[in-house]
Coordinates of all heavy atoms in Angstrom, one line a residue:
K2 N 31.6 -11.5 15.7 CA 30.5 -10.9 15.2 C 30.7 -10.2 13.8 O 32.0 -9.8 13.6 CB 30.1 -9.7 16.0 CG 29.5 -10.2 17.4 CD 29.1 -8.9 18.1 CE 28.7 -9.3 19.6 NZ 28.2 -8.2 20.3
G7 N 22.6 -4.3 8.2 CA 22.0 -3.9 9.5 C 21.6 -5.2 10.4 O 21.0 -5.0 11.3
L10 N 25.5 -10.7 12.8 CA 25.6 -12.2 12.7 C 26.8 -12.6 13.8 O 27.7 -12.0 13.8 CB 26.1 -12.7 11.5 CG 25.3 -12.4 10.2 CD1 25.8 -12.7 9.0 CD2 23.9 -13.1 10.3
V40 N 20.2 -31.5 20.6 CA 19.6 -30.1 20.7 C 18.1 -30.3 21.3 O 17.7 -29.6 22.3 CB 19.6 -29.4 19.3 CG1 18.6 -28.2 19.4 CG2 20.9 -29.0 19.0
I69 N 6.4 -23.0 15.0 CA 6.7 -22.1 16.3 C 5.9 -22.4 17.5 O 4.7 -22.6 17.2 CB 6.8 -20.6 15.8 CG1 7.4 -19.8 16.8 CG2 5.3 -20.2 15.4 CD1 7.7 -18.4 16.4
D100 N 15.8 -25.0 3.3 CA 14.4 -24.7 3.6 C 14.2 -24.5 5.2 O 13.4 -23.7 5.6 CB 13.4 -25.8 3.2 CG 13.1 -25.8 1.6 OD1 13.5 -24.7 1.1 OD2 12.6 -26.7 1.2
N104 N 12.6 -21.1 6.2 CA 11.3 -21.3 6.9 C 11.4 -20.8 8.3 O 10.4 -20.0 8.7 CB 10.7 -22.7 6.8 CG 10.2 -23.1 5.5 OD1 9.9 -22.2 4.8 ND2 10.4 -24.4 5.2
E144 N 21.6 -14.8 1.0 CA 20.5 -14.5 0.0 C 19.4 -13.7 0.6 O 18.8 -12.8 0.0 CB 19.9 -15.8 -0.4 CG 20.6 -16.6 -1.5 CD 20.1 -18.0 -1.7 OE1 19.0 -18.4 -1.0 OE2 20.7 -18.7 -2.4
K154 N 19.4 -9.5 14.9 CA 20.6 -10.3 15.3 C 20.4 -11.8 15.1 O 19.2 -12.4 15.4 CB 20.7 -10.2 16.9 CG 21.9 -10.9 17.3 CD 22.6 -10.5 18.7 CE 21.6 -10.6 19.9 NZ 22.3 -10.2 21.1

Side-chain angles (χ1 to χ4, degrees):
K2 287 184 192 188
L10 300 176
V40 168
I69 189 163
D100 282 348
N104 289 329
E144 277 168 12
K154 179 157 69 174

